[in-house]
Amino acid sequence: MSPASRSPDPPDTGRRNLIDQLTADAIASDYAWPDPEGAVASSSTRARRQRLVVVASSLALAGFLLALGLASRIDNEPAMIEQRTALRERVVTAGERQVELAADVAKLREKVDKARDAALEISLLGVRLANQIQDLELSTGYAAATGPGVTVTMADAPEKGDDVDLELTKVLDTDLQVAVNGLWQAGAEAVAINGQRLSARTAIRSAAGAILVNYRPLAPPYVIEAIGGPSLLGDFQQTDDAKSLKDVSRQFGIAFSAGESRRLELPAASGRLPDTAQVVTNEPPDVDNSVEPGSAKKGDRR
Amino acid sequence: MIALVGLVLGIIIGLVFEPVIPLWLQPYLPIAVIAALDAVVGAARALLDGVFRDRIFVVSFLSNVVIAATIVWLGDLLGVGSQMSTGVVVVLTMRIFANAAAIRRHLLKA
């Protein structure tokens, strides 16, 4: 197909559709009016050679541009990797700093506890308050705890094929919630998931595909440790929560097992203490008032 | 022959030296590359059609590269840069295809 034969008269252009026009004009626009000069000049060998060099250098420029475009694409990649590693480093250092600070907090808490105990030791009332504080610290997750208990382990189902819905074969935040509720119901006194102690302000929720506890993402397998009396395991397995988890495990292949542990060590909760909530005090604290004096003291210590 | 050597030489120079492209030029480089490609394919077709003129090739090559980049730059100023580059790429790609089809007919008679 020669463009000259296809579009004999330019006025025709207006009626053709865009694609036809482009196809016909692809060369026409550049070479439709070949300059007579070029044909004439080509008779001289020297001029021809000169022109050939010009064409060659133009083509060299074209090749250079092409290579430049390719190289810049390739070059972008290391820069991106660099950025990513830099970001990762920042995340890691921030994480390390957080761990350091958490250790500092734990040390300072210990100091405060010792000072408080020393101050309370001197009177009978003080000793009783100290006992109450200890109890409350355990149940609120403020203090690290140790004792016998139950370990519940949950893990995602092994990936089989793509016919199974991936979301359903994973342990969900609601599964952990159910397990923890069952443990509380069975009489657990302190619970931690993968080393994250649960306190009154702990939420178990999922965000961006990860399960967050105390705002820290956890990786499977999920190990729930609960300190409680000798009947904790039996009671837990009697709860509806444990039964429904067994059903889920059977249906979706999620690993779910519970066993007794002789000695568990749960860390203190890393979550924050109440900032705004205050204990209601109607009367001056006295010895018989079981909860309020301790809580008031706790509030004061912030 | 010399022309082909020039093309290969240009690619080698570009790949070996890997010059750093200024950041402000980077959005226009791909467009310039497509325009250059279009000019080269157009020249190849003209050569086979017997209407190739070196002067036209050099002038159209340089002007097309500059115009394509300028259009996109102008589009960037008007806030339609990405649409402009899409438009330029579509037009140039269609030309490349049309010219490539003509070359194919010449070489393979199909």
Side-chain angles (χ1 to χ4, degrees):
Chain A
M1 161 204 102
S2 137
S5 66
R6 232 183 115 178
S7 55
D9 47 344
D12 192 31
T13 331
R15 265 178 282 121
R16 280 178 302 171
N17 69 40
L18 182 66
I19 291 178
D20 276 349
Q21 202 176 318
L22 275 167
T23 317
D25 290 348
I27 183 171
S29 53
D30 282 348
Y31 296 96
W33 302 277
D35 62 338
E37 229 183 284
V40 173
S42 62
S43 49
S44 147
T45 348
R46 226 189 120 194
R48 260 192 84 192
R49 193 159 295 164
Q50 242 175 25
R51 273 149 195 278
L52 206 57
V53 170
V54 170
V55 170
S57 41
S58 290
L59 275 168
L61 189 61
F64 180 70
L65 271 176
L66 193 69
L68 220 58
L70 293 174
S72 76
R73 276 276 155 267
I74 298 160
D75 275 355
N76 273 348
E77 224 155 298
M80 249 151 79
I81 291 167
E82 215 171 278
Q83 276 180 0
R84 204 171 299 157
T85 38
L87 262 179
R88 186 190 304 237
E89 263 167 35
R90 274 172 66 181
V91 169
V92 168
T93 22
E96 278 167 4
R97 175 113 180 92
Q98 198 181 12
V99 169
E100 274 170 33
L101 289 174
D104 283 358
V105 167
K107 261 186 219 156
L108 288 173
R109 273 188 180 181
E110 215 170 289
K111 255 189 180 171
V112 170
D113 286 355
K114 274 202 186 125
R116 183 197 62 205
D117 288 346
L120 288 177
E121 247 174 20
I122 50 172
S123 71
L124 188 64
L125 175 65
V127 171
R128 293 179 83 162
L129 277 176
N131 285 340
Q132 280 174 3
I133 288 168
Q134 219 166 32
D135 289 349
L136 287 167
E137 277 180 350
L138 270 182
S139 54
T140 53
Y142 182 79
T146 178
V150 170
T151 304
V152 176
T153 309
M154 298 178 81
D156 297 343
E159 282 173 43
K160 276 182 259 170
D162 20 28
D163 50 357
V164 194
D165 194 348
L166 269 177
E167 277 302 301
L168 289 175
T169 60
K170 288 207 158 121
V171 176
L172 303 176
D173 50 346
T174 50
D175 297 334
L176 291 186
Q177 285 167 10
V178 165
V180 168
N181 281 343
L183 285 166
W184 286 131
Q185 197 190 329
E189 291 160 17
V191 179
I193 305 177
N194 284 16
Q196 288 295 325
R197 177 79 173 273
L198 303 189
S199 73
R201 294 189 73 185
T202 300
I204 303 170
R205 62 190 191 89
S206 70
I211 296 180
L212 304 186
V213 174
N214 288 338
Y215 301 104
R216 300 295 299 255
L218 304 184
Y222 306 99
V223 179
I224 308 171
E225 293 169 313
I227 293 176
S231 65
L232 181 59
L233 182 61
D235 288 348
F236 171 62
Q237 272 161 347
Q238 290 303 308
T239 59
D240 292 342
D241 297 320
K243 282 173 192 160
S244 83
L245 281 176
K246 264 177 213 152
D247 282 345
V248 167
S249 155
R250 206 176 311 128
Q251 210 173 335
F252 299 107
I254 289 168
F256 168 66
S257 63
E260 273 184 23
S261 299
R262 213 175 292 161
R263 185 182 157 80
L264 293 172
E265 282 186 27
L266 307 190
S270 62
R272 295 164 64 199
L273 297 170
D275 300 320
T276 39
Q278 296 225 326
V279 174
V280 181
T281 41
N282 294 329
E283 45 197 84
D286 64 331
V287 187
D288 295 330
N289 199 330
S290 55
V291 179
E292 275 150 56
S295 300
K297 274 282 175 228
K298 254 177 81 63
D300 291 343
R301 271 192 334 206
R302 261 189 283 121
Chain B
M1 198 57 213
I2 296 176
L4 271 182
V5 170
L7 183 67
V8 173
L9 204 69
I11 292 177
I12 289 171
I13 289 172
L15 285 180
V16 169
F17 286 96
E18 279 187 21
V20 178
I21 306 139
L23 206 64
W24 58 268
L25 206 73
Q26 264 180 6
Y28 313 113
L29 184 70
I31 298 295
V33 170
I34 302 282
L37 213 62
D38 167 62
V40 171
V41 176
R45 179 192 174 177
L47 200 65
L48 292 169
D49 279 348
V51 294
F52 178 76
R53 293 293 177 274
D54 43 20
R55 221 171 68 112
I56 295 179
F57 166 65
V58 173
V59 172
S60 76
F61 164 67
L62 292 176
S63 66
N64 277 3
V65 167
V66 171
I67 288 169
T70 309
I71 286 175
V72 175
W73 172 73
L74 213 64
D76 265 346
L77 290 188
L78 296 171
V80 289
S82 57
Q83 288 96 320
M84 277 295 204
S85 53
T86 307
V88 170
V89 167
V90 166
V91 169
L92 291 179
T93 312
M94 283 171 106
R95 272 169 56 120
I96 290 173
F97 264 103
N99 285 332
I103 291 169
R104 193 192 63 221
R105 274 182 217 111
H106 270 293
L107 294 181
L108 303 173
K109 313 275 181 240

